Amino acid sequence: MALEKTLVLLKPCTLQRALVGEITNIFERKGFRICGMKMMQLTDELLSEHYAHLSEKPFFQRVKDAMMTAPVIALCLEGVDAIAAVRALAGPTNGRNAAPGTIRGSYCMSFQENIVHASDSPETAAVELARFFRPEEIFEWNQATFPWLYANDEF
Ligand code: ADP
């Protein structure tokens, strides 16, 4: 168990569908601490880096183009085992296969237009947080509910 920070992006489809508040609320209700939050217009250059692992895929450019059709909201979320917990809450990539109750299972029908991006490992989270946030845009603040979110041997 470790207190971790992870990167979430609310994708352009989420802004277009006016789901920013609803999806952010899911993360807040779950108990994650919001350490950073900002609106950004992504560029092809940044997306080529962010989605480098997809560069050989036939849909690479299409996925990047979709991510530039509107701004995104970048979130830095913190919690115990936050990286895996956010991925579990997001559900698998294809919304049609995602279990009911997950974000993708509840809010989307698409492989591509799948509401959120979430970092998939501690190494990726560190690289992605540095890609989307400057150090001074990540805030440490005392989450008053912390003792009610975890037992004291869980962090
Ligand atoms: P995830 O976002 O679940 O970590 P990937 O890193 O594999 O998934 O892919 C990044 C994004 O690229 C996905 O969230 C999705 O928007 C898009 N994508 C991935 N695979 C496909 C696919 N087969 N068809 C369409 N879009 C895809």
Side-chain angles (χ1 to χ4, degrees):
M1 288 179 289
L3 198 57
E4 295 174 337
K5 288 184 174 65
T6 189
L7 175 84
V8 168
L9 300 177
L10 306 184
K11 296 187 176 187
C13 58
T14 305
L15 278 77
Q16 292 290 6
R17 294 176 55 200
L19 290 171
V20 170
E22 204 158 319
I23 304 301
T24 305
N25 191 33
I26 291 170
F27 292 117
E28 283 195 292
R29 275 196 332 225
K30 176 76 172 166
F32 294 108
R33 178 167 71 141
I34 299 176
C35 297
M37 187 171 191
K38 69 195 243 202
M39 184 177 255
M40 300 171 75
Q41 175 60 52
L42 303 186
T43 61
D44 194 78
E45 191 185 358
L46 185 143
L47 285 161
S48 294
E49 206 180 285
H50 183 64
Y51 284 141
H53 61 289
L54 301 177
S55 63
E56 303 302 316
K57 303 280 187 193
F59 50 81
F60 180 51
Q61 191 61 46
R62 195 189 69 201
V63 167
K64 291 193 295 174
D65 287 343
M67 289 293 283
M68 294 187 284
T69 55
V72 301
I73 307 287
L75 292 167
C76 170
L77 300 179
E78 187 183 68
V80 173
D81 299 339
I83 297 159
V86 168
R87 289 283 292 188
L89 196 53
T93 311
N94 182 347
R96 292 189 293 279
N97 299 335
T102 62
I103 290 172
R104 287 164 171 171
S106 301
Y107 288 94
C108 72
M109 286 293 287
S110 172
F111 218 136
Q112 177 178 291
E113 302 301 319
N114 58 3
I115 308 293
V116 289
H117 166 82
S119 304
D120 64 5
S121 70
E123 297 70 31
T124 315
V127 169
E128 292 184 346
L129 284 169
R131 180 175 297 138
F132 287 89
F133 287 95
R134 294 196 298 270
E136 66 271 23
E137 292 173 330
I138 293 184
F139 297 85
E140 303 299 338
W141 54 278
N142 184 26
Q143 188 181 19
T145 51
F146 203 81
W148 312 108
L149 290 168
Y150 303 104
N152 59 13
D153 67 349
E154 286 182 300
F155 52 88

